[in-house]
Amino acid sequence: MTTRLAIALAATLGLAMPAYSQAATPATQAAQAANPFFAESPLPLHYPQFDKIKDSDFAPAFDAGMAEQLKEMDAIANNPAAPTFENTIIAMEKSGQVLDRATTVFFNLVGTDTNDARNKLRADYSAKFAAHGDAISLNPKLFARIKALYDQRNDLGLDAEGVRLIERYHTSFVRSGANLNDADKATLKKMNAELASLATTFSDNVLKEVNASAVVVDDVKQLDGLTEAQIATAAEVAKKRGLEGKYVLTLLNTTGQPPESQLTNRALRQRLHEASVARGSRGGEFDTTALVSRIMKLRADRAKLLGYPNHAAYGLEDQTARTPEAVNAMLGKLAPAAVANAKREAADLQAMIDQEQKAKGEPTFALEPWDWAFYTEKVRAAKYNFDESQLKPYFEMKNVLENGVFFAANQLYGLTFKERTDLPKYHADTWTYDVFNADGSQLAIFIFDPYARDSKRGGAWMNSYVSQSGLTGDKPVVANHLNVPKPPAGEPTLMTWDEVTTTFHEFGHALHGMFSDVKYPYFSGTSVPRDFVEYPSQVNEMWADWPSVLANYAKHYKTGEAMPQALLDKVIAASKFNQGFATTEYLGAAMLDQRWHQITADQVPDAAGVMKFEADALAADGINYKPVPPRYKTPYFSHIMGGYSAGYYAYIWSEVLDANSVEWFKNNGGLKRENGDHFRKTLLSQGGSQDAMKLFRDFAGHDPKIEPLLEKRGLTAPEAATAPRQAR
């Protein structure tokens, strides 16, 4: 299974590593026996032994795991027998078990609960892992065996999944540089090693900068507009930082910050916004502009070495989009309409500002980015007679999860869930559930990790601890991670509407992982093109406001009373609101990503020119509307420094499929078992075992059409829209 990790690292994420080899000695054997990674976990479904895993276990498992896998690969490459599917491809699929277990847990924990020891390990091993991937993917004897099988793949008597597995291995190796000469391979290895180290440093700096940029407030009066619970949390954070008597507003990694919608103090909103957008480009030890410049240059150079005009051409070749031109065409079509919509919304906000200032007898002011969310809530309240604060009491987190997300999954797929408290946790703030099929058989184990913390990266995501495979018999262990602020002890966790839809979204990824029913680990779960992977998760968002689902979970946390129908109606009506802003901020980031990755190495600016490049790129694409900055600015755009380089467009590309699918569900009776079973059978269970667009056609019965997306995003007429799904 680590073969997949190695190839993904070397070929897709641009992480790189030198070969590492270490023989086990008798002295190390005893230590290995005590190390939980050297054998499969004895817990149900091989659930990780979090209570036995120590940070000191990782390095020995990495070292021995890499050595073991290289030995396995060596044996495959030098096998005197002629290459067969079994002795080459399947042998590779089964290789690297120790490394797979250790790296899977490690990288998941680095994302969700890191510490100094884990950060150091990641820094120490990023280049080693990249080199390990290179040692496999650039092994000429190994590639020769894969190519021999590839050339005769249709004559081997394999089923379609087996043929595709050979094709994917061949493609991965070619894209990793297997056809290069020895000198170019050596150059590639150096590039990959440096890129791996730089990506690690970037990620560390972004997290440290988020924590360092938190806004300190001296006077509680400045926090007017926040709830008592939010103020208590801010005081608690300050106390933990040794700032007793003060208040700390922590930042999320997005440009916009949630308190901006509530704070009445305009100067503080401005402080908060400016602290957010300055991250990574304000100088100091966590500045990332030099890292950005070097990463972009290296990526461009590597693309050229591999025979591509730029990194985007390299990255997109293996996606459903195929080419930068296809992505540019779509984004270019959407941008003018999105900005036009945002400007119409801005006019409403400016009118609200003018009206309020006049009523106060004070001069008006021009709408700024830090005003947008605040006055949006006021306009929403005026238009629809409600605001977010009215909703939150009806969205208690565990109720949203169990009676909303799980309820929808039960109605659609027949799934049932049972919380269990006997399995170890990597953090106290997580919940664990057994997941059962309609026939009572166990499908998976699900971990829910909802709260923000300093040790956790920003955003929301899904990951697998154990991936499904018919070859190994493994069933999935998957986790969802959110960044919901944790309330003070004893207080309920009340969610915003965006947090609710994010919970449904991430569970869509979880379903994709849990429903996986493939033979080979390579294809398991969410192992699909990046611009397809967001599609099932976006579809799952539709159930958040589906009337029968909403009625089941939208209940007051104190009284248990259902959300009044009038308020429900307002939620649905208001879901059409502010789509211009959401689409514009997303497209700003998506188009910026393409600009960075469609240039050649000689066009990459130095550190001092990074922010000018960004400004010029946004202007050239007509997406530089000042009140709506990009959802992520370059210095903290973590997506594109990791697996989403030249790939942030994937959210809206997937949304074409999503909008078509929502239409399909509605046309076929909505939330009912036969629809869920059809979606599961034709698409969710297939992982990457078939071409992604074929899976879509098998489900929907037709090629995707763009019209449902245009309508949903409000890009067909000024008022025709439903809520845009936020990129995470």
Side-chain angles (χ1 to χ4, degrees):
M1 284 212 285
T2 305
T3 311
R4 291 177 297 124
L5 169 113
I7 292 170
L9 287 173
T12 308
L13 301 187
L15 308 180
M17 8 176 177
Y20 199 93
S21 178
Q22 179 179 316
T25 65
T28 62
Q29 286 171 357
Q32 290 181 6
N35 188 312
F37 296 118
F38 281 88
E40 283 195 317
S41 166
L43 296 176
L45 308 195
H46 305 306
Y47 181 97
Q49 301 178 82
F50 292 120
D51 54 337
K52 295 189 174 163
I53 294 168
K54 305 183 294 291
D55 286 343
S56 57
D57 292 328
F58 288 114
F62 295 162
D63 293 343
M66 283 190 280
E68 176 192 72
Q69 190 174 30
L70 288 181
K71 195 173 173 183
E72 292 166 336
M73 290 296 177
D74 222 36
I76 298 167
N78 293 298
N79 188 343
T84 66
F85 184 67
E86 209 54 48
N87 72 17
T88 301
I89 303 295
I90 296 300
M92 291 177 74
E93 280 288 271
K94 289 179 175 178
S95 75
Q97 295 294 319
V98 172
L99 184 57
D100 190 52
R101 286 191 287 269
T103 52
T104 298
V105 171
F106 176 75
F107 285 110
N108 288 338
L109 291 184
V110 164
T112 192
D113 190 30
T114 199
N115 56 35
D116 289 345
R118 291 169 189 175
N119 287 340
K120 186 174 184 312
L121 276 166
R122 185 169 60 156
D124 290 348
Y125 276 88
S126 58
K128 294 177 183 178
F129 286 149
H132 179 72
D134 286 342
I136 294 169
S137 57
L138 299 178
N139 182 323
K141 289 182 179 177
L142 205 53
F143 181 58
R145 295 181 73 86
I146 293 168
K147 188 171 185 317
L149 292 169
Y150 175 77
D151 290 342
Q152 53 178 319
R153 62 192 183 280
N154 294 318
D155 304 320
L156 299 173
L158 299 172
D159 61 11
E161 191 175 342
V163 172
R164 181 169 170 83
L165 186 63
I166 294 175
E167 291 172 345
R168 293 309 304 162
Y169 264 89
H170 182 262
T171 297
S172 292
F173 269 67
V174 170
R175 285 174 53 77
S176 299
N179 281 328
L180 297 177
N181 61 41
D182 288 348
D184 286 345
K185 282 181 179 177
T187 302
L188 181 65
K189 288 177 182 179
K190 286 179 185 172
M191 286 178 173
N192 285 342
E194 187 178 353
L195 278 165
S197 295
L198 291 169
T200 298
T201 306
F202 181 91
S203 177
D204 288 346
N205 281 17
V206 167
L207 181 59
K208 289 170 180 172
E209 182 79 321
V210 162
N211 292 329
S213 299
V215 172
V216 180
V217 178
D218 296 328
D219 185 355
V220 71
K221 290 177 186 168
Q222 292 184 37
L223 300 179
D224 180 60
L226 299 187
T227 64
E228 286 182 14
Q230 287 173 309
I231 293 169
T233 298
E236 207 169 284
V237 173
K239 189 177 176 181
K240 283 180 181 171
R241 296 190 178 203
L243 299 169
E244 189 90 43
K246 297 184 187 258
Y247 305 85
V248 170
L249 299 177
T250 54
L251 301 186
L252 297 183
N253 198 42
T254 47
T255 295
Q257 300 298 320
E260 290 174 28
S261 68
Q262 298 168 267
L263 290 166
T264 61
N265 186 309
R266 188 170 187 240
L268 182 55
R269 293 202 307 270
Q270 183 174 351
R271 270 184 70 199
L272 192 62
H273 176 82
E274 290 177 345
S276 178
V277 297
R279 284 175 290 138
S281 60
R282 60 187 179 128
E285 61 181 315
F286 307 135
D287 192 286
T288 61
T289 51
L291 293 169
V292 168
S293 175
R294 183 62 183 156
I295 288 170
M296 296 305 170
K297 186 173 187 319
L298 276 168
R299 283 178 177 171
D301 280 335
R302 186 178 62 179
K304 186 180 178 182
L305 182 70
L306 290 166
Y308 298 87
N310 52 56
H311 180 78
Y314 167 73
L316 293 169
E317 178 191 52
D318 211 31
Q319 305 299 314
T320 65
R322 303 295 184 208
T323 66
E325 290 74 21
V327 174
N328 292 346
M330 172 187 247
L331 299 181
K333 184 175 182 179
L334 300 177
V339 172
N341 274 9
K343 287 179 175 177
R344 281 191 287 271
E345 293 164 3
D348 287 345
L349 303 185
Q350 188 64 57
M352 176 66 75
I353 294 170
D354 296 345
Q355 180 187 319
E356 280 201 351
Q357 293 301 104
K358 187 178 179 181
K360 289 192 287 190
E362 296 175 10
T364 193
F365 53 83
L367 173 73
E368 295 284 356
W370 49 87
D371 299 315
W372 192 288
F374 183 74
Y375 286 96
T376 290
E377 284 307 307
K378 287 180 175 285
V379 171
R380 189 199 312 267
K383 276 194 173 185
Y384 303 102
N385 195 28
F386 89 102
D387 58 37
E388 282 278 2
S389 65
Q390 290 172 267
L391 297 181
K392 289 179 75 171
Y394 296 95
F395 298 146
E396 190 277 319
M397 186 167 65
K398 198 163 187 183
N399 194 51
V400 169
L401 179 70
E402 294 185 347
N403 293 314
V405 175
F406 290 175
F407 172 76
N410 172 262
Q411 296 295 295
L412 202 57
Y413 307 109
L415 300 186
T416 53
F417 302 81
K418 186 179 179 185
E419 188 174 1
R420 57 187 303 171
T421 55
D422 59 319
L423 292 173
K425 299 182 176 191
Y426 60 83
H427 194 281
D429 290 339
T430 60
W431 306 326
T432 310
Y433 295 86
D434 279 329
V435 186
F436 301 99
N437 286 304
D439 64 4
S441 61
Q442 185 154 12
L443 176 67
I445 293 175
F446 173 66
I447 301 168
F448 186 61
D449 179 356
Y451 291 121
R453 46 183 174 267
D454 289 349
S455 60
K456 191 179 197 179
R457 70 176 173 87
W461 69 98
M462 167 266 189
N463 65 259
S464 296
Y465 282 98
V466 180
S467 298
Q468 179 273 331
S469 161
L471 192 65
T472 61
D474 289 342
K475 291 183 177 182
V477 177
V478 303
N480 276 171
H481 309 274
L482 311 177
N483 263 283
V484 178
K486 189 179 179 182
E491 295 289 318
T493 305
L494 304 179
M495 304 176 85
T496 65
W497 179 243
D498 187 57
E499 287 164 347
V500 170
T501 56
T502 298
T503 309
F504 277 84
H505 175 102
E506 294 306 327
F507 196 73
H509 287 304
L511 288 169
H512 201 181
M514 291 192 290
F515 282 151
S516 177
D517 188 16
V518 298
K519 194 179 300 181
Y520 305 113
Y522 193 100
F523 296 134
S524 185
T526 56
S527 303
V528 297
R530 191 176 48 210
D531 55 8
F532 191 81
V533 77
E534 294 298 334
Y535 154 50
S537 54
Q538 289 171 329
V539 171
N540 206 59
E541 289 183 41
M542 72 177 290
W543 309 117
D545 60 4
W546 195 260
S548 61
V549 178
L550 195 58
N552 200 62
Y553 75 86
K555 296 183 178 175
H556 199 284
Y557 76 99
K558 281 184 178 173
T559 65
E561 287 178 27
M563 185 186 284
Q565 188 60 47
L567 191 54
L568 287 183
D569 293 342
K570 288 174 185 176
V571 172
I572 305 299
S575 69
K576 300 175 182 179
F577 182 66
N578 207 40
Q579 80 279 355
F581 169 87
T583 309
T584 300
E585 70 153 10
Y586 166 74
L587 288 175
M591 297 174 94
L592 185 60
D593 171 29
Q594 290 303 315
R595 285 277 177 176
W596 276 116
H597 291 112
Q598 290 182 22
I599 55 177
T600 54
D602 60 340
Q603 295 172 306
V604 175
D606 60 13
V610 163
M611 299 317 294
K612 183 178 183 307
F613 179 93
E614 175 180 292
D616 291 348
L618 295 170
D621 284 326
I623 200 79
N624 60 330
Y625 182 44
K626 188 187 172 194
V628 187
R631 186 169 175 83
Y632 299 97
K633 291 174 75 70
T634 301
Y636 49 88
F637 202 168
S638 296
H639 289 73
I640 67 168
M641 296 300 163
Y644 274 67
S645 59
Y648 195 65
Y649 77 95
Y651 288 93
I652 203 157
W653 191 273
S654 297
E655 201 174 329
V656 174
L657 308 180
D658 158 41
N660 278 258
S661 301
V662 168
E663 188 176 71
W664 183 93
F665 273 105
K666 288 179 175 176
N667 291 342
N668 286 275
L671 188 74
K672 58 183 189 179
R673 270 292 304 278
E674 62 190 87
N675 289 343
D677 289 347
H678 176 65
F679 194 39
R680 175 177 181 174
K681 182 182 177 184
T682 56
L683 196 144
L684 293 178
S685 63
Q686 299 298 311
S689 64
Q690 298 183 55
D691 176 77
M693 295 312 293
K694 179 182 178 299
L695 294 178
F696 172 80
R697 287 189 291 271
D698 288 349
F699 161 68
H702 58 76
D703 286 328
K705 300 171 289 191
I706 197 168
E707 287 75 18
L709 170 76
L710 298 177
E711 186 177 338
K712 182 168 78 68
R713 282 273 178 174
L715 303 180
T716 50
E719 296 300 326
T722 56
R725 312 268 170 92
Q726 288 289 333
R728 303 301 160 193

